[in-house]
């Protein structure tokens, strides 16, 4: 907590490190830093915008000395409030957007060492002339720090893996200001413990990510996309199995879109005629094949056409081919379409495939019984078991969101699933994390966080047990 | 340390847990448990062979209570002595070979949850009818615990990744006997910290691996292999770059074999005529393409032939095609061939590609100056930067092996490389690890090991700084 006098002293000391114009008191912070993509705005005592890794690292002990908590923020595109401060007295927002010192592309190793402030889109624009990419495909455009801290997955994860699978090394600042290089960025290296793995997906709570070294992938030379109407829900996974048996390494996306989500993504109801003559299926499937070979060597369109012909009248009743851009446009406009229909309550879960459809049915039935006004409009990455079990709630109806969330999470767990597939934990899922995580894992994780950050400087997310946090800090420490 | 009386008490107590025939005192231990694949035999106070995860976990606190150290061992194929005990008074060998309770193949998720005692070869035999495999390709045949504890890479890592990339979850016993499930085995899961990552590549020193859940890959339907003579060393990496630009996702191996290693692998000198008419190049390259598509859809032989024709007279002066089995037979018999020629001193290093050839030249020159009798016979996984910088030393000459090792490691580090690419650390590389690891990483790693195993029960490898170990345990604790 800061008194007005100590705030002035803090701002002066911070300005001495990163320059006067880069240090702002709470009331002067632009809304974009405080307003997350979903959810209400947060608040902070100050905003710091260091330009170098050295400045960023030096700010950490300064904040600790003033009894502040540091909330790192990149592009502020996350969905679990991990980058949104929430305490006007105690939270300092440390923006990494000016951390752009390093962009070291190694064409021979096909790797990129890059500062935390670069955005995914910029990285891929700069790599495109080399025929390479960081193969993370998202609707949002996070920066490196956010990508790493949330281990993002996205629509092409089944082909390229998540951020973790593509991260060879990290440079992090620990809470005491010490900068540590974890990993050398080599493809093959077992000369030390893989400590960088701990910081991937840690919601920014174990250390400040300054740089990452990524393994890059080749940009495909061709793609073939189909929007497919399966005969029934029961046909979806058997069809998926046959696709994977036929050309597993060519499948770069296997997405599902429920009828309700599909309808919401259409620009107008009349547009439905373009898809399956307006007969939207329970679940539409978006299948993408891609290859680094040219069409003269491997004709993906022909492979896809043959697959659909073989399945026609069996698992597949209709399909739209050759409208690649339209298919992806529709897929990426679901969330926006749902928001036009009411309040969206989003769940980012994943499930074992064998329980996927059972979960969906159980969830639908549970909603009908307990939250009847909800319209389920789920969609997701069936190829990797990910599901955005999103629903629309009428703006005019009261909603006990906590009960809704807990009910869905309990169902997910009962079906062997994860309550956070690709968004991470953060303050948004803090309570659910405590409720649904094995006490032994809570204990190990809390010990680890306590060791790396004994003063809880970066503890916007608490990986240890709730009781530990309450005991150490008092109940108001639990945000 | 055990007195004879306390040893008897310990053996009785251990027998009560895992059965009388599965507990043996030191002198009764069969040689295979004590003799590592390279290096001299070790020794132990006792051998324990639990049959279940529960038995294994209960043995740990028992050993701790008797002041013993536990050395876990799987198939004993490792190359850094991590599974070889070395103290007849203090070390207990805990064999995981009977841990075979779980073999849970999930065809829908394409995953396998499997107990630590299963061997790689068995796993792949059982998965073959499903067209799937654990895509780790090695000359050795380790069990699951060893695969995980050493994060093995192998010849096809550039296509499929290392063990880490294919591990979704682990079940481990901590030093206090607590069994913890880390990860749920889902493809996409960010609902907790990825603690299982810590145990991968930890040389068995942080906890006992009881089970792993692996992601599986499709078995290729076709492969095409060429043994290639490049025009010169300078052509090797530019050729590699062009191969990767042409069909990056088809390359499943890109190995290099020095002239000396090639010659050693031949069954007889006359066999050289079969390869490049006896004109062995400085570095021969083994290139393998593979695909899950049939040859009717994608003709790999034709693609490979076309590549070689395009490169012929440029980077490539000769090539042998269509002798796939012979190529791999030769590649896998290098180590055996070298052993016939003298004492083999092996280095498992990796390098950034841009420094690879410079390192090799510097290493060759340094050997000529300081260790003239050595014959360098290196080979390796050029596709991922890995290099077995092995040399043969005449049996009749004295050798200061420590000086040789330190000299090579120093050169590796000077070229930005790793002193252990895929074999791990273990007691064999303990001194080199201390010498070549950043003090900040040593401190973090030591804290972590101390937290997970405060009594150093499993500390056959010490991840913390040497000084810490010496201070805590006295110099004899450093093995």
């Amino acid at each position: 907590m800061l008194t007005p006098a100590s705030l002035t002293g803090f701002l002066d000391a911070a300005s001495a490190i990163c320059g006067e114009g880069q240090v702002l008191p709470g009331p002067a912070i632009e809304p974009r830093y405080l307003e997350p993509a979903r959810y209400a705005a947060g608040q902070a005592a100050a905003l710091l915008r260091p330009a170098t890794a050295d400045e960023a690292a030096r700010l950490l002990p300064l904040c600790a000395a003033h009894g502040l908590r540091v909330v790192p923020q990149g592009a502020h595109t996350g969905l679990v409030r991990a980058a949104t401060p929430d305490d006007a007295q105690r939270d300092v927002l440390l923006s990494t957007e000016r951390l752009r010192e390093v962009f070291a592309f190694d064409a021979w190793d096909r790797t990129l060492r890059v500062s935390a402030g670069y955005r995914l889109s910029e990285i891929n624009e700069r790599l495109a002339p080399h025929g390479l990419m960081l193969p993370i495909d998202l609707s949002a455009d996070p920066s490196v720090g956010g990508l790493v801290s949330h281990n993002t997955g996205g629509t092409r994860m089944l082909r390229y893996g998540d951020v973790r699978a593509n991260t060879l090394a990290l440079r992090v600042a620990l809470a005491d200001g010490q900068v540590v290089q974890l990993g050398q960025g080599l493809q093959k290296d077992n000369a030390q413990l893989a400590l960088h793995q701990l910081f991937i997906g840690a919601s920014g709570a174990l250390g400040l990510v300054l740089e990452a070294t990524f393994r890059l992938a080749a940009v495909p030379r061709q793609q073939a996309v189909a929007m497919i109407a399966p005969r029934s829900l029961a046909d979806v996974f058997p069809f998926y199995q046959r696709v994977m048996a036929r050309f597993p390494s060519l499948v770069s996306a296997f997405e599902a879109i429920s009828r309700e989500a599909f309808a919401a993504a259409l620009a107008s109801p009349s547009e439905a005629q373009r898809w399956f003559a307006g007969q939207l299926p329970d679940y539409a499937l978006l299948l993408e094949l891609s290859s680094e070979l040219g069409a003269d060597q491997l004709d993906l369109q022909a492979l896809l056409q043959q697959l659909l012909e073989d399945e026609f009248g069996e698992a597949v009743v209709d399909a739209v081919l050759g409208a690649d851009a339209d298919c992806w446009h529709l897929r990426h406009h679901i969330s926006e379409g749902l928001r036009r229909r009411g309040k969206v309550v989003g769940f980012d879960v994943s499930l074992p495939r064998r329980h996927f459809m059972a979960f969906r049915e159980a969830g639908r039935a549970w909603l009908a019984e307990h939250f009847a006004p909800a319209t389920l409009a789920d969609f997701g990455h069936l190829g990797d078991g990910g599901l955005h079990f999103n629903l629309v709630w009428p703006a005019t109806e009261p909603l006990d969101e906590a009960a809704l969330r807990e009910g869905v999470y309990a169902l997910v767990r009962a079906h062997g699933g994860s309550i956070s597939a690709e968004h991470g934990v953060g303050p948004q899922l803090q309570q659910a994390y405590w409720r649904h995580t094995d006490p032994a894992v809570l204990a190990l994780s809390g010990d680890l966080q306590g060791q790396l950050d004994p003063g809880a400087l970066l503890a916007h997310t608490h990986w240890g047990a709730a009781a530990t946090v309450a005991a150490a800090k008092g109940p108001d420490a639990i945000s």
Side-chain angles (χ1 to χ4, degrees), chain A residues 76-277:
Chain A
H76 206 193
T77 58
L79 296 174
V80 291
R81 290 189 78 94
T84 311
D86 58 21
D87 189 321
Q89 306 300 317
R90 194 167 57 110
D91 282 353
V92 170
L93 187 51
L94 192 155
S95 170
T96 59
E97 64 193 343
R98 294 175 69 230
L99 298 184
R100 299 171 63 86
E101 293 166 281
V102 180
F103 191 99
F105 167 56
D106 186 324
W108 282 50
D109 275 349
R110 305 161 81 86
T111 60
L112 175 69
R113 186 161 66 86
V114 59
S115 293
Y118 278 90
R119 286 201 177 212
L120 177 59
S121 61
E122 290 181 85
I123 288 173
N124 281 333
E125 276 160 29
R126 289 179 68 164
L127 293 173
H130 305 282
L132 295 170
M133 61 180 182
L134 177 58
I136 306 296
D137 188 71
L138 305 169
S139 303
D141 188 18
S143 59
V144 166
L147 280 167
V148 168
S149 296
H150 297 283
N151 186 30
T152 53
T155 54
R156 293 188 172 103
M157 199 196 98
L158 79 170
R159 170 72 168 272
Y160 300 104
D162 51 15
V163 168
R164 184 183 303 286
N166 294 286
T167 302
L168 297 172
L170 291 180
R171 192 171 184 83
V172 299
L174 302 178
D176 63 4
Q178 189 183 185
V179 174
V180 195
Q181 176 68 32
L182 302 172
Q184 303 181 76
L186 297 164
Q187 308 278 349
K188 206 171 205 170
D189 186 6
N190 282 288
Q192 57 185 51
L193 293 181
L195 298 178
H196 65 290
Q197 295 288 343
L198 279 177
F199 297 84
I200 302 174
S203 293
L206 300 185
L208 179 66
V209 174
L210 300 171
E211 272 176 37
T213 305
F214 296 120
R215 186 202 329 266
L216 305 174
V219 176
R221 289 209 181 85
Q222 56 165 334
Q223 293 173 320
V225 178
M227 190 71 83
I228 297 167
R231 187 170 55 181
S232 74
L233 285 175
D235 286 304
V236 169
F237 278 110
F239 173 64
Y240 169 80
Q241 291 291 84
R242 291 196 293 276
V243 171
M244 292 302 280
R246 201 181 271 229
F247 27 59
S249 63
L250 298 179
V251 179
S252 50
F254 192 98
E255 303 276 311
I257 308 173
S258 67
R259 180 186 288 111
E260 296 76 11
F262 204 111
L266 297 171
S268 69
S270 65
E271 210 201 327
Q273 288 304 318
R274 294 194 46 217
W275 302 95
F276 316 124

Side-chain angles (χ1 to χ4, degrees), chain A residues 378-397:
Chain A
D378 60 318
F379 59 100
H381 316 295
L382 258 67
D384 55 45
L387 176 65
H388 297 298
F389 191 75
N390 290 6
L391 49 89
V392 180
W393 187 260
T396 50
E397 293 278 335

